[in-house]
Amino acid sequence: MSRTRTASVRAVGRVGRQGGPVQADGRTAAPLSWVWLAAWPVTAVFVLSNAATPLYVLWQRDFGFSKGTLTVVFAFYILGLIGSLLVSGVVSDRIGRKPVLLPALVLALLACLVFATATGVAALIVARLLAGVAVGAVVSAGMAAVTDVAGPERKRLAALLASCAMVFGAGLGPFLAGILSETLPAPTVTVFAVEAVLLVTAVLVVLRMPIQRSPSPAKGAWMRVPSVPRGRGRQLIQGVAVFAPGLAATSFVLSLGPSLLSGLLGTTSRIVAGGMAFAMFLTATGVQFAVRHLRRHTILTAGATGTAMSMITLIIAVHASSAPILLASALLAGAGQGMGQLGGLSLLNSAVPPQRLAEANAALNVGGYVLAGVLPVSAGYLSDAVGLTGGATVFGVVLMSLAVIGGLVVLTGRDKAPEPA
């Protein structure tokens, strides 16, 4: 090894002139504060992703649509998200994170405008579609940007912050929307005006983000089903096997949770509905910090267990007409998604090179959101046909089975060797 290379390696971990550690390649990494700031655009866009949840009772009252139609509106969000994931990950790996993040934030601002001025179901569908496209781009490019800013020495921290930014924003959206819509006039306008301000601050963060393009971008078709490099498929499968059921569980709570609360408590309070979603995602955030030092496969196994337990308590809640048990189910769903997401992202961060990381993140989320789109929509229409209790029971049994299978996939495919830091 040359003297230059040796000195470079020894410099890892030392503090550079601008406050960040010196990396193995001799470059000064970004200060820790920027690693946290890089996660803010992810949070801001995910606030939008669920801000509409407490407002659906208002739109149902004004526009007159069923629970099945409600889940279709949600499905268009999934459609936009998956369509975006087919492109945004690859594009981000090739031309950089900022050229993907900035248009995504513009689309998110446009979604706010459409939501605020909606006069029918069609407008809600358009707004959810735009929000889905924006979220898909941020899931791939934004979460990869956090890893890029963090540098190779802080990969586990990057996975933790990117994952927590996603679930915290997803919970903060309905919570803020519930409070604002109950306490301020013109609720559907006020909520999205506040969210627009948050998105503008995210634009400012992206513009100043200390991030560089990959020196060796990936090749191949610009639009394709996202994938991981050869030999890394096992990590992707294990992540999807746990993340997908967890995401479907929280998606069910978001789409049909207010209807369940209305049936169990006889209340249409938007604060209560938003509060339950916030508690669910706050649990998803907190549990990730609690388990961050565990082995990745242990985190995934715990995530599968949490999702399975969530479905058991969901079935009990709807048959016992118990709101506290329903809340317990939501909290377990949040824990299941949080650990499944953290475990999946951590596996990919440890195994996939930076020039393919956004595409790998997109692949993980495609696997998760396909299931999260299909099952809740099916449960919504089934609930219209046989009642909310019957629909929730069938959904719970199916998803519990998938969570158990996901746990078995992780247990049978885990490595015996020690995991890298």
Side-chain angles (χ1 to χ4, degrees):
M1 182 181 294
S2 67
R3 291 184 179 180
T4 302
R5 175 60 178 164
T6 302
S8 176
V9 172
R10 288 177 179 172
V12 175
R14 294 211 303 263
V15 177
R17 292 181 180 178
Q18 298 179 5
V22 178
Q23 301 176 137
D25 60 4
R27 292 183 302 172
T28 301
L32 183 60
S33 59
W34 259 111
V35 184
W36 286 79
L37 275 174
W40 172 242
V42 179
T43 299
V45 172
F46 270 91
V47 168
L48 172 65
S49 71
N50 294 332
T53 297
L55 303 177
Y56 285 126
V57 291
L58 295 178
W59 287 318
Q60 280 184 297
R61 181 196 66 195
D62 295 340
F63 306 155
F65 54 85
S66 68
K67 290 186 286 294
T69 302
L70 175 59
T71 53
V72 168
V73 173
F74 182 82
F76 268 88
Y77 163 78
I78 302 292
L79 181 64
L81 191 154
I82 292 176
S84 176
L85 289 172
L86 297 179
V87 180
S88 58
V90 176
V91 173
S92 172
D93 284 336
R94 289 193 181 183
I95 68 174
R97 313 305 184 202
K98 292 184 182 182
V100 174
L101 288 173
L102 291 173
L105 290 168
V106 171
L107 287 179
L109 286 165
L110 183 58
C112 287
L113 176 62
V114 178
F115 268 129
T117 58
T119 56
V121 174
L124 297 181
I125 288 175
V126 170
R128 287 296 279 170
L129 185 66
L130 290 171
V133 174
V135 168
V138 168
V139 158
S140 53
M143 299 177 93
V146 178
T147 301
D148 290 348
V149 172
E153 309 304 322
R154 298 182 289 201
K155 283 187 175 182
R156 290 202 73 149
L157 174 65
L160 175 66
L161 294 183
S163 184
C164 287
M166 174 179 170
V167 293
F168 182 71
L172 186 61
F175 183 61
L176 283 178
I179 293 176
L180 293 174
S181 66
E182 290 277 10
T183 58
L184 296 177
T188 56
V189 175
T190 302
V191 166
F192 294 105
V194 171
E195 166 58 5
V197 173
L198 299 182
L199 290 169
V200 169
T201 65
V203 170
L204 298 177
V205 168
V206 172
L207 287 173
R208 299 199 59 183
M209 192 179 293
I211 193 170
Q212 298 179 353
R213 287 182 55 184
S214 171
S216 54
K219 297 178 173 58
W222 284 83
M223 181 175 181
R224 61 175 184 257
V225 176
S227 62
V228 294
R230 186 181 301 275
R232 306 305 181 191
R234 182 178 62 178
Q235 287 88 346
L236 176 63
I237 291 171
Q238 290 174 356
V240 170
V242 179
F243 174 53
L247 186 61
T250 56
S251 296
F252 177 85
V253 173
L254 288 170
S255 58
L256 293 179
S259 297
L260 284 170
L261 281 173
S262 177
L264 296 177
L265 293 178
T267 178
T268 57
S269 170
R270 297 182 291 280
I271 294 179
V272 172
M276 184 172 73
F278 180 68
M280 177 174 69
F281 286 113
L282 190 63
T283 300
T285 304
V287 75
Q288 292 182 65
F289 279 95
V291 304
R292 67 187 186 278
H293 295 304
L294 298 179
R295 290 173 60 90
R296 298 178 180 98
H297 289 88
T298 302
I299 295 172
L300 285 171
T301 304
T305 303
T307 301
M309 292 177 63
S310 169
M311 293 301 98
I312 293 172
T313 52
L314 172 65
I315 294 170
I316 295 173
V318 296
H319 284 274
S321 296
S322 171
I325 299 178
L326 178 63
L327 176 60
S329 174
L331 298 181
L332 286 167
Q337 180 191 331
M339 288 186 284
Q341 182 173 297
L342 176 61
L345 284 173
S346 296
L347 280 179
L348 294 179
N349 271 11
S350 68
V352 177
Q355 62 267 29
R356 291 288 302 276
L357 188 56
E359 184 181 358
N361 288 344
L364 176 68
N365 282 277
V366 166
Y369 278 102
V370 166
L371 186 67
V374 171
L375 282 187
V377 168
S378 301
Y381 276 105
L382 185 62
S383 297
D384 284 337
V386 303
L388 202 50
T389 298
T393 300
V394 172
F395 174 84
V397 170
V398 171
L399 198 59
M400 179 182 63
S401 302
L402 292 175
V404 170
I405 292 171
L408 293 174
V409 168
V410 173
L411 288 173
T412 57
R414 64 192 307 167
D415 292 321
K416 303 298 183 183
E419 295 186 358

